[in-house]
Amino acid sequence: MPFYTELHAHTSETSPCSHQTASQVADRYLAEGYSTVVVANHYCESVFRAVEDTPEARVEYFLAGYHAMKNYAGDRLNVILGMELRFLENSNDYLIFGINEEFVRANPDLHLLSLKKFRTVADQHGLLIVQAHPFRNGMTVRPPALLDGYEVFNGHAGHDSRNHLAAALCRTYGKLPTSGSDFHDATSYVSGGIVTEEEIKSMEQLVGVLRSGCYTLRCAGPAAERDGMKDFKAEEL
């Protein structure tokens, strides 16, 4: 039996660009047959502008969406804490895998670092850095030495992420590929994620699976049609 894991979803409790509450997101993924969702809310300066100006307040605000979904879903859905991190140096976004609440509380204001400095932090803590939608307008492709992977499929239909270029880049440098729906609102397509033979129940397990390459990518919806990735086979990377 295949199991579906979403790697890129947002909730309105934390991400201002999202228009779906944690409970609404959970219900949607349960209806779509997913067993696991990574809540990858934004962690960046623009998100924290309306938050009390203390590191503790920013951390609690960031964790709010994750906590809300975990509490609502209970044992019906595996809810895992992720992060879409943006530094001040540019408009790039990075999906971070391997974090937990303890790490987030012990390392506040990660957005004030640079990618190069965060690479050192990631290596110290066994984290994975995946550049999200690297060919979307406004993005800058970063050196592969600073990254573990690229999001080769982003299912957000409202953006042209040029997924086929991301897939080619990932293939060229031999980095790990990921796929995500980039879920934001009721009109979003549940079109991305990974498919595994075992149910993913923790971030530690997910990181192990990503490092192993023992998964396939789900690429569906309008973005897949547009980029010629509807029947894309991850093993070709």
Side-chain angles (χ1 to χ4, degrees), residues 27-87:
D27 284 341
R28 180 73 179 274
Y29 278 92
L30 285 167
E32 295 281 352
Y34 279 65
S35 61
T36 306
V37 172
V38 176
V39 180
N41 276 320
H42 291 282
Y43 195 110
C44 60
E45 182 184 31
S46 61
V47 166
F48 296 137
R49 284 174 185 161
V51 182
E52 182 183 347
D53 192 20
T54 67
E56 295 78 14
R58 288 189 283 273
V59 165
E60 292 307 318
Y61 184 80
F62 169 72
L63 293 172
Y66 163 71
H67 285 156
M69 189 184 296
K70 195 167 182 65
N71 291 336
Y72 174 77
D75 60 3
R76 298 177 298 151
L77 185 70
N78 301 303
V79 179
I80 296 177
L81 178 64
M83 175 186 290
E84 187 169 11
L85 176 59
R86 178 182 293 183
F87 307 109

Side-chain angles (χ1 to χ4, degrees), residues 168-188:
L169 182 70
C170 195
R171 183 184 301 112
T172 297
Y173 291 111
K175 295 296 181 176
L176 66 86
T178 70
S179 166
S181 301
D182 203 356
F183 189 92
H184 280 81
D185 53 51
T187 63
S188 292

Side-chain angles (χ1 to χ4, degrees), residues 75-204:
D75 60 3
R76 298 177 298 151
L77 185 70
N78 301 303
V79 179
I80 296 177
L81 178 64
M83 175 186 290
E84 187 169 11
L85 176 59
R86 178 182 293 183
F87 307 109
L88 299 179
E89 59 190 5
N90 53 40
S91 297
N92 286 354
D93 294 312
Y94 304 94
L95 296 169
I96 310 301
F97 301 102
I99 65 170
N100 54 31
E101 288 193 54
E102 181 181 4
F103 171 83
V104 174
R105 295 183 191 283
N107 297 274
D109 291 341
L110 294 168
H111 61 301
L112 300 182
L113 301 177
S114 64
L115 175 59
K116 187 174 182 180
K117 290 180 179 179
F118 184 74
R119 177 73 267 176
T120 300
V121 174
D123 290 339
Q124 291 172 344
H125 293 273
L127 312 182
L128 296 177
I129 307 174
V130 175
Q131 185 170 0
H133 41 70
F135 287 97
R136 184 181 290 180
N137 289 347
M139 302 294 106
T140 302
V141 178
R142 299 309 309 274
L146 296 177
L147 303 167
D148 297 291
Y150 297 98
E151 186 180 48
V152 305
F153 180 77
N154 180 285
H156 196 308
H159 290 283
D160 185 354
S161 296
R162 302 174 181 86
N163 292 312
H164 59 295
L165 297 180
L169 182 70
C170 195
R171 183 184 301 112
T172 297
Y173 291 111
K175 295 296 181 176
L176 66 86
T178 70
S179 166
S181 301
D182 203 356
F183 189 92
H184 280 81
D185 53 51
T187 63
S188 292
Y189 291 88
V190 175
S191 56
I194 62 171
V195 186
T196 57
E197 292 302 314
E198 293 187 4
E199 183 178 4
I200 294 176
K201 298 182 177 182
S202 69
M203 180 56 88
E204 292 79 9

Side-chain angles (χ1 to χ4, degrees), residues 6-39:
E6 174 62 73
L7 300 182
H8 191 166
H10 300 279
T11 74
S12 60
E13 287 84 355
T14 298
S15 295
C17 55
S18 175
H19 304 287
Q20 292 276 276
T21 65
S23 60
Q24 290 172 317
V25 178
D27 284 341
R28 180 73 179 274
Y29 278 92
L30 285 167
E32 295 281 352
Y34 279 65
S35 61
T36 306
V37 172
V38 176
V39 180

